[in-house]
Amino acid sequence: HVTMDQVLEAVGEGVVGVQRLVWTGTLVIGPGRHTIDVLVRDPAANRATTRTLAVEVPPPADGLRVSSVVLLRPRGFFFLRDQVQGDDPLVYQGDPLMPTLQPSLTVGADTHVRFYVAVYPAPGSAEPVTLKAELLRGGAKVGEAPLDLPKEESSGEVRYVGLLETRSFHPGSYVLRLVARQGGTTAAEEAPFVLAPEGPARQRVSPAGVW
């Protein structure tokens, strides 16, 4: 049982007005099933919000691996980062990323789903790594496309930020699945999202580019 605390001191009205904060900290946990309880408290307003996340850490593997598929919000937030040594998975090419969980987008609007994934090639393997995106609706695959991977990071993994246009999609629940292949080995991860006839304005994804 480990507790991590982070106090945010507002340096100006602009920071408070953003209403979105990303804090990245580092905590190494071993293989197994873990529960993470997040508590955010505002002493001035006497309000608190909690969220519980279940995390399963697989045992170390020597073969090809893929990180969780992370769906992203557009930029427009305050980024707070611990001053620690090492790599930060929520920083891509020097820019911070803001994850979102199960976004609800509006059908027919100029919207898209932006996503992030890290691919970990098998150490010592000379086989090239490929990545493709598959789109599922109701459990059935309705589309797929290959993705061009960038060069490996200095730490060995390959990080990718992509964009999935959703203007022509029908309403419903979708799953974005990313499948990596190296030689005869494959690894896949996925993330769900919803396209609704109407959605709250705060959940719509801006069509403006981020990178």
Side-chain angles (χ1 to χ4, degrees), residues 15-83:
V15 173
V16 178
V18 170
Q19 297 295 318
R20 292 177 180 173
L21 165 69
V22 173
W23 166 51
T24 65
T26 301
L27 178 63
V28 179
I29 55 179
R33 295 182 177 180
H34 306 266
T35 299
I36 301 176
D37 296 315
V38 181
L39 169 65
V40 180
R41 188 173 66 90
D42 183 357
N46 195 27
R47 293 185 302 178
T49 300
T50 63
R51 181 181 292 273
T52 298
L53 305 174
V55 178
E56 184 169 354
V57 181
D62 296 329
L64 174 69
R65 295 180 295 122
V66 177
S67 75
S68 301
V69 179
V70 181
L71 303 183
L72 303 174
R73 286 184 179 271
R75 293 183 64 179
F77 54 86
F78 180 66
F79 183 67
L80 182 64
R81 185 182 184 187
D82 279 357
Q83 298 299 317

Side-chain angles (χ1 to χ4, degrees), residues 7 16 20 49 57 75 80 105 108 110-112 125 127 141 174 183 185 192 204:
V7 177
V16 178
R20 292 177 180 173
T49 300
V57 181
R75 293 183 64 179
L80 182 64
L105 308 178
D110 188 11
T111 57
H112 58 248
S125 176
E127 295 283 352
K141 185 166 62 175
Y174 291 84
T185 304
R204 295 178 182 174

Side-chain angles (χ1 to χ4, degrees), residues 58-175:
D62 296 329
L64 174 69
R65 295 180 295 122
V66 177
S67 75
S68 301
V69 179
V70 181
L71 303 183
L72 303 174
R73 286 184 179 271
R75 293 183 64 179
F77 54 86
F78 180 66
F79 183 67
L80 182 64
R81 185 182 184 187
D82 279 357
Q83 298 299 317
V84 297
Q85 298 296 324
D87 196 18
D88 191 333
L90 290 181
V91 175
Y92 177 75
Q93 297 182 352
D95 291 317
L97 306 175
M98 182 168 185
T100 184
L101 300 177
Q102 294 184 329
S104 180
L105 308 178
T106 304
V107 170
D110 188 11
T111 57
H112 58 248
V113 173
R114 190 173 294 274
F115 60 92
Y116 165 79
V117 71
V119 179
Y120 303 89
S125 176
E127 295 283 352
V129 178
T130 62
L131 183 67
K132 71 173 180 178
E134 297 180 349
L135 184 66
L136 288 77
R137 183 173 184 269
K141 185 166 62 175
V142 295
E144 65 178 13
L147 303 175
D148 294 328
L149 287 174
K151 295 181 179 180
E152 293 184 2
E153 302 286 329
S154 58
S155 55
E157 77 267 22
V158 181
R159 297 181 177 180
Y160 183 85
V161 171
L163 188 71
L164 175 65
E165 297 288 348
T166 60
R167 174 184 292 183
S168 61
F169 292 179
H170 298 291
S173 298
Y174 291 84
V175 172

Side-chain angles (χ1 to χ4, degrees), residues 112 114 206-211:
H112 58 248
R114 190 173 294 274
S206 168
V210 175
W211 310 108

